[in-house]
Amino acid sequence: PARGRGGATMDADFGQQSQAFTLLHDKNMLAPASAASWCPTMDLLALATSDGQLALSRLDWNKTGGERENRLWTANPDSPVTSLGWRPDGKILVSGHADGAVQLYHAEDGEVLHASTPHRGSAVTSLHWQDAPAEDSRRSACAYLSATSRFALPTNGGGGGVHDRPRRDGAKADAGAGAGAGPWTRPPGAGARALFDHFDPPTRLTVLCSGDARGDVVMSAFGIFPIASARVGDCPADFPTAGGGTAGGADLAVLHASLAPDLSRILVAFRANGGVDAVGASAAMPLLARRSVEMCTAASHGSQIAALAAELEREARAAAATWREAREDFDARIDALRERVGEGRGVGRGRGRTRTNANKRSDDSMDMDDSMGDDMDATTSENVDPNREDDMDARTTHPTIEDLLLAYLATGRVDPGVEQFLAHEFQPRDVRRLARSVDAAATKVHAALSERIAPAAQSCALRIAELRALARWRERSGAIGLDERAADVALAASESCALAAFAAARLATAAAARLRAFFTLLLRTQRQVAFGSPDGFGAAGDDADAPPALDAKLVEEFLRDGLTRDTLGDSLGSNGLTRDTLGDGLGSNRAAGSDAAATREVPRGGPDDGAGAILGAAI
């Protein structure tokens, strides 16, 4: 061809003018490129290198700024990137990795929106994202409207929680951001909405088709929820090769897998015979094409149920860890106090196991002289069996910490051991510091329970209820395998989780109130030791550090229950607030859900998450 003006060329045979290739950018790289992909809607290039770095750059965004200004963000995944792809709207970048993981990135800032491992232990070699026909969106606009967006607020994925969400580079939250700060603390932004908008759920299905070096092909709705999988080597067909033989067995690796625009067929190109032959094959998927609207609704709920269940587990574990850390500091102080007053002395001294119920001991035992108690224990120790409950109780006559503090409430007399401990080992500044720490932990736990865990469980229940309603519409949803029995079990589990969260929130409020009253008692006791009066010195209102008024009823309840009893910790540690209960409910009828899908065009691999039990069918 002859070159024309402006870099154009003239085709001699047809006399038509065409544009010549022009070098737009040339860059020396520190490591070879392992994968690259252009954004379908913007001038963005995603580039992965063999040194483990993934970068997104804009072409000619700032010609004078250099490479740093043209690069939008970089990431360093745990596993090397082996393939890249884009969602058709260009808002989400998807990467496949050598360990079989698939990650979704927000194109604007590189936030990891979702991570999964559909190809465990096998490198992802192909990624292709396909939208359902636009007719699906118009057809479903009036047919079905989710009620979840009208009756439940979106959860912010742990925003403001007591845990820190790792960023794409593995860094933690900024140290100066305060307790509980970090990437989770910001409200959900464009990244979360780009993946799934709570108030504007998707109206048509979009499917991510991925293949790996083992010959597996996995289809995931919205790039999140696996709906089908197949292994090319397990297909009954024999694929002819260039050498005249057939390709089959396990020695197959997917080169490319993509769906037709109408989702009716899948095209797979793969290597066979040790990479010698390249074979292309296609398979019909009429079920996905006919029921894409129903699959869109079911998969959108299923993906959100899985995300909510993961959020419940994460928040519950973080809340339990926060409260456990605060209680460990409190228990350490109480144990030190028990040792100071002699409650922790061994059996040889006659102290044995202490009794925690103050009502089991008469008032005169609290005034018993310590030396007299030692003599009595020494006398009775020869005639008692240490393994017998009655003999053990007969030997433990020393009052407990609870007894001594209850006696102070009744008589105003401070035990010498308590007095020495509060005067020298646990001073007022230490009491105030521990009180602030425990109160802050209780406040965080209450916020997590009432603002994130309970709403997430409620939203989960609403979505499961909608799936159950769809499962009862068997004419439309029966073909995709929605299991009503699994939905019933999961709905009961999510409702139980929501009730448990509200009950634990009330326990957090009660525990905080009791502990505040207890710390007030300690501060007033220290005032009694220092100034001879719990109100301190001077006229009322003159002392800025004076403790607040004492709620004797709350203190008495707290002491009679025992200082070591932790009802809130027991509630947070139970399965009612973790994904274990919800996951059991979601996954209990997995087999039943699998059996519901009787017709298959592609062998079923099925979702890995428990939420997939409700959506039992594969394509």
Side-chain angles (χ1 to χ4, degrees), residues 519-534:
F519 286 121
T520 300
L521 173 66
L522 294 184
L523 290 173
R524 293 178 67 85
T525 305
Q526 290 171 331
R527 289 282 177 134
Q528 174 79 24
V529 172
F531 306 110
S533 172

Side-chain angles (χ1 to χ4, degrees), residues 3 24 85 87 121 129 149 248 255 309 387 416 506 514 564 592 607 610 619:
R3 180 173 296 278
L24 300 178
R87 200 170 71 174
W129 216 319
S149 60
L255 296 173
N387 296 322
R506 291 192 294 269
R514 286 186 169 191
T564 57
I619 307 307

